[in-house]
């Protein structure tokens, strides 16, 4: 982060593949080659944890903060290892080319991954690699695999609806369940083993090409998750395990009722009493996965908006002091060097800025929001940047730059942008003009969403935060990674000293 660099934001699910969803297979390696050829230093991803159609397929709503998403497992290495044969893939559906059909992918991949497990079964007991993985990851994997087995037995019911002995983790009842569902537990361990092996191979490939991976760590976790079930003491819950308070953000310019996210908030006093053990494990796990991590909703570590359970909006919440300096002092004592990007978007108070300053954490700048009537003083305007930051044209939650031009940009914003650049901007040139602004800035790191590199419109938007369904579906077509695009990105990268 102390050297000039640049990178691309593209989630794994958006990569090309023959199996309906981007994964850890050939498409990921080809994209790594593209980054190397264009002299990009970073590849930014969204969270890699398990998703579900019940949660809108959001990578920010997962049933584990530690597990990998089985849908990201590539089938190609399983063919090489003999766990699948070509005949198994003969009836591959005709998946959409430009979006992910999650239910169809889950059905298709789920069947083949179960088949791979059945074929691997006899050899797993003799595999020292599998045993080492299961032992090393036992601190989260044992609870997660049992959680998945119990949830499947109860037809997907939330853990708060399970029989009391399972809900409240009675030791004898859990041991009985481990014995009863031993095969299902082992299958989940096997899937996580496959994910880990494939992910580490891809990360090594990227690092060998001097490409660093930026991962995303959401501050909160889903209530119906193995994390909350296994660590109830760290969350504000009622005696039956239901949330007593929910996370969100207060009313602001964008929403008169605020945002009610539905995640349980932390009991930071209880976490502090354990020296933040669960968080230390979580950060260590992500640092093993990624070279840098982006801490989502960073301001929640200084103070967070807490809404009583039962409220329908975030209006009647209150600010509660977060763990602040004590938490980060503990993290830096444990990890010494902590490669963290603070997601500091939105209304940020002085206590948040002080926390970032004290630990020298880079924040984020979004050009898409820079050209309002407060342009001269806006922190996202390039002339106000400091070096220690990461500049984006936009993020996965925003419209694409071309979509912004087509649907959202006000005439006054266009006038200011043209005046700022000293030339007229057209719909065809808007994305490269914004990319150029990002690359020429003093920001140590510039990261561009793949959709903006391609100049795509609103149809390629990754997420619409106010809409529950239809998000996280956009996919890159193989033909879009052209030599011309590589050459243009390489040119601008070298021109502004980011190669």
């Amino acid at each position: 982060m102390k050297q000039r660099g640049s990178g691309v934001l593209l989630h794994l699910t958006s990569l090309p593949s023959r199996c309906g969803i981007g994964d850890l297979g050939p498409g990921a390696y080809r994209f790594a080659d593209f980054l190397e050829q264009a002299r990009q230093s970073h590849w930014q991803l969204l969270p890699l944890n398990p998703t579900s159609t019940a949660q809108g397929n959001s990578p920010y709503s997962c049933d584990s903060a530690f597990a990998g998403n089985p849908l990201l497992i590539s089938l190609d290495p399983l063919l090489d290892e003999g766990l699948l044969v070509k005949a198994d893939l003969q009836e591959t559906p005709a998946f959409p080319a430009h979006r992910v059909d999650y239910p169809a992918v889950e059905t298709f991949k789920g069947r083949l991954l179960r088949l791979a497990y059945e074929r691997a079964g006899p050899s797993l007991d003799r595999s020292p690699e599998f045993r080492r993985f299961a032992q090393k990851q036992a601190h989260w994997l044992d609870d997660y695999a049992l959680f998945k087995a119990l949830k499947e037995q109860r037809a997907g019911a939330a853990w708060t609806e399970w029989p009391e002995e399972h809900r409240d983790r009675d030791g004898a009842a859990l041991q009985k369940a481990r014995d009863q569902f031993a095969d299902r537990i082992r299958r989940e361990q096997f899937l996580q083993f496959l994910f880990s092996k494939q992910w580490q191979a891809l990360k090594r490939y990227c690092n060998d090409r001097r490409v660093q991976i930026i991962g995303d760590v959401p501050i909160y976790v889903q209530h119906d998750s193995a994390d909350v079930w296994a660590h109830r003491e760290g969350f504000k819950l009622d005696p039956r395990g239901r949330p007593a308070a929910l996370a969100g953000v207060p009313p602001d310019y964008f929403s008169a009722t605020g945002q009610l996210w539905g995640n349980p908030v932390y009991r930071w006093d209880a976490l502090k009493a354990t020296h933040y053990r669960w968080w230390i494990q979580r950060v260590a796990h992500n640092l093993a996965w990624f070279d840098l991590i982006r801490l989502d909703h960073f301001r929640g570590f200084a103070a967070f908006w807490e809404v009583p359970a039962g409220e329908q909006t975030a209006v009647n919440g209150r600010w509660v002091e977060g763990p602040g300096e004590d938490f980060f002092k503990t993290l830096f004592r444990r990890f010494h060097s902590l490669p963290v990007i603070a997601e500091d978007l939105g209304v940020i108070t002085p206590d948040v800025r002080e926390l970032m300053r004290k630990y020298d954490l880079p924040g984020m700048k979004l050009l898409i929001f820079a050209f309002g009537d407060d342009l001269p003083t806006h922190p996202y305007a390039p002339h106000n940047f400091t070096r220690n930051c990461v500049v984006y044209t936009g993020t996965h939650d925003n419209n694409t730059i071309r979509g912004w031009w087509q649907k959202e940009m006000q005439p006054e914003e266009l006038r200011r942008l043209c005046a700022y650049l000293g030339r007229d901007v057209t719909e065809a040139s808007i994305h490269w003009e914004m990319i150029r602004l990002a690359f020429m800035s003093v920001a140590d790191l510039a990261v561009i969403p793949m959709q903006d590199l391609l100049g795509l419109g609103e149809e390629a938007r990754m997420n619409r935060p106010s809409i529950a369904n239809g998000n996280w579906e956009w996919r890159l077509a193989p033909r879009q990674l052209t030599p011309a695009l590589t050459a243009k990105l390489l040119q601008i990268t070298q021109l502004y000293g980011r190669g």
Side-chain angles (χ1 to χ4, degrees):
M1 280 299 302
K2 298 304 180 185
Q3 295 180 334
R4 281 179 72 79
S6 58
V8 178
L9 169 59
L10 179 72
H11 194 39
L12 278 176
T13 59
S14 295
L15 288 164
S17 85
R18 58 178 171 170
C19 296
I21 189 171
D23 57 30
L24 295 164
Y29 287 83
R30 285 194 291 271
F31 188 72
D33 291 340
F34 162 75
L35 294 174
E36 181 191 25
Q37 291 160 11
R39 298 296 186 267
Q40 301 306 293
S41 55
H42 292 79
W43 178 1
Q44 182 166 336
L45 301 167
L46 306 183
L48 300 181
N49 309 107
T51 57
S52 72
T53 52
Q55 297 294 329
N57 308 302
S58 171
Y60 294 88
S61 297
C62 306
D63 61 7
S64 172
F66 293 81
N69 189 348
L71 295 182
L72 301 178
I73 295 171
S74 171
L75 302 182
D76 291 88
L78 306 187
L79 289 167
D80 297 337
E81 296 168 22
L83 297 176
L84 295 176
V85 297
K86 289 184 178 180
D88 296 327
L89 277 71
Q90 281 184 346
E91 296 183 7
T92 300
F95 291 111
H98 299 290
R99 69 177 187 87
V100 182
D101 182 344
Y102 283 95
V105 168
E106 287 181 4
T107 299
F108 173 71
K109 274 200 162 180
R111 177 180 63 83
L112 292 174
L113 291 173
R114 283 191 295 272
L115 182 59
Y117 168 68
E118 290 167 8
R119 290 178 179 155
S123 65
L124 285 181
D125 291 333
R126 301 188 300 273
S127 169
E129 189 181 10
F130 174 72
R131 284 201 306 272
R132 282 195 301 270
F133 171 80
Q135 290 168 359
K136 185 176 181 180
Q137 306 299 328
H139 67 93
W140 67 267
L141 183 55
D142 288 356
D143 282 322
Y144 179 66
L146 178 58
F147 176 85
K148 295 292 282 188
L150 290 172
K151 198 167 179 63
E152 190 173 282
Q153 184 210 20
R154 308 298 299 182
W159 65 266
T160 49
E161 305 303 319
W162 295 352
E164 186 176 335
E165 65 270 19
H166 291 157
R167 182 194 72 190
D168 296 338
R169 297 179 58 82
D170 175 78
L174 292 191
Q175 185 55 55
K176 183 178 179 181
R178 289 188 185 97
D179 296 337
Q180 181 181 354
F181 303 116
D183 186 66
R184 177 64 183 88
I185 289 170
R186 197 157 174 262
R187 172 156 56 95
E188 198 62 44
Q189 292 172 325
F190 172 71
L191 294 179
Q192 292 304 315
F193 171 65
L194 290 181
F195 174 90
S196 177
K197 188 164 66 168
Q198 291 189 10
W199 169 252
Q200 292 300 337
L202 176 61
K203 183 176 183 294
R204 283 193 301 271
Y205 188 86
C206 290
N207 290 168
D208 287 346
R209 282 147 186 80
R210 302 179 70 182
V211 175
Q212 292 189 303
I213 308 291
I214 304 174
D216 203 321
V217 179
I219 184 173
Y220 293 116
V221 297
Q222 183 178 296
H223 172 255
D224 189 20
S225 66
D227 306 286
V228 180
W229 175 63
H231 302 280
R232 285 171 63 165
E233 68 283 354
F235 300 87
K236 291 190 178 181
L237 308 174
D238 70 15
R240 292 185 57 185
R242 297 170 300 191
L246 300 172
V249 290
D252 57 19
Y253 174 82
F254 299 101
S255 173
T257 59
Q259 296 178 41
L260 187 60
W261 295 334
N263 310 83
V265 296
Y266 294 106
R267 285 189 55 209
W268 284 109
D269 57 338
L271 292 169
K272 181 178 179 178
T274 68
H275 304 288
Y276 307 105
R277 181 175 60 246
W278 180 83
W279 262 101
I280 293 287
Q281 291 173 339
R282 187 183 185 194
V283 171
H285 189 78
N286 279 278
L287 289 178
W289 273 8
F290 308 116
D291 300 296
L292 298 91
I293 56 176
R294 169 190 180 267
L295 277 181
D296 191 50
H297 194 59
F298 183 85
R299 72 106 49 249
F301 293 104
F304 57 92
W305 190 249
E306 177 182 293
V307 183
E311 292 287 334
Q312 299 302 305
T313 72
V315 171
N316 295 320
R318 66 186 182 113
W319 286 109
V320 179
E321 187 177 353
E325 184 179 345
D326 186 73
F327 176 67
F328 284 96
K329 183 169 61 178
T330 303
L331 285 185
F332 273 88
R333 193 160 51 228
R334 167 63 176 80
F335 297 105
H336 183 61
S337 176
L338 197 60
V340 163
I341 298 168
E343 187 272 284
D344 59 341
L345 306 179
V347 179
I348 300 301
T349 50
D351 55 340
V352 182
R353 291 283 174 233
E354 176 59 22
L355 199 57
M356 293 172 62
R357 185 202 63 76
K358 181 154 191 173
Y359 292 99
D360 199 27
L361 302 178
M364 296 173 57
K365 312 293 183 183
L366 270 58
L367 293 179
I368 196 171
F369 294 133
F371 296 97
D373 56 12
D374 56 349
L375 168 63
T377 59
H378 199 287
Y380 298 165
H383 63 271
N384 291 321
F385 290 0
T386 59
R387 285 186 55 188
N388 191 32
C389 70
V390 186
V391 58
Y392 300 77
T393 47
T395 73
H396 60 277
D397 282 333
N398 308 126
N399 207 337
T400 66
I401 289 299
R402 191 161 192 163
W404 172 58
W405 168 285
Q406 294 169 335
K407 299 289 184 68
E408 299 172 14
M409 179 187 272
Q410 300 300 311
E412 296 82 4
E413 287 181 297
L414 175 59
R415 179 182 57 78
R416 291 187 202 100
L417 174 60
C418 292
Y420 196 83
L421 292 168
R423 56 184 171 274
D424 289 340
V425 179
T426 67
E427 181 178 339
S429 68
I430 178 65
H431 60 295
W432 280 110
E433 294 286 6
M434 297 290 273
I435 292 168
R436 186 179 298 276
L437 270 181
F439 274 57
M440 71 167 57
S441 77
V442 298
D444 283 330
L445 182 58
V447 177
I448 311 300
M450 190 69 218
Q451 294 94 319
D452 287 344
L453 279 178
L454 295 170
L456 302 179
E458 188 177 34
E459 75 284 350
R461 184 170 179 170
M462 194 62 168
N463 182 43
R464 296 167 178 81
S466 60
I467 298 175
N469 298 308
N471 293 317
W472 320 108
E473 295 181 357
W474 178 77
R475 294 182 67 200
L476 174 73
R479 58 179 173 76
Q480 291 176 302
L481 289 180
T482 63
L485 178 65
T486 305
K488 187 161 188 175
L489 181 55
L490 172 61
Q491 179 189 43
I492 196 172
T493 300
Q494 293 181 323
L495 179 65
Y496 294 114
R498 295 189 181 274

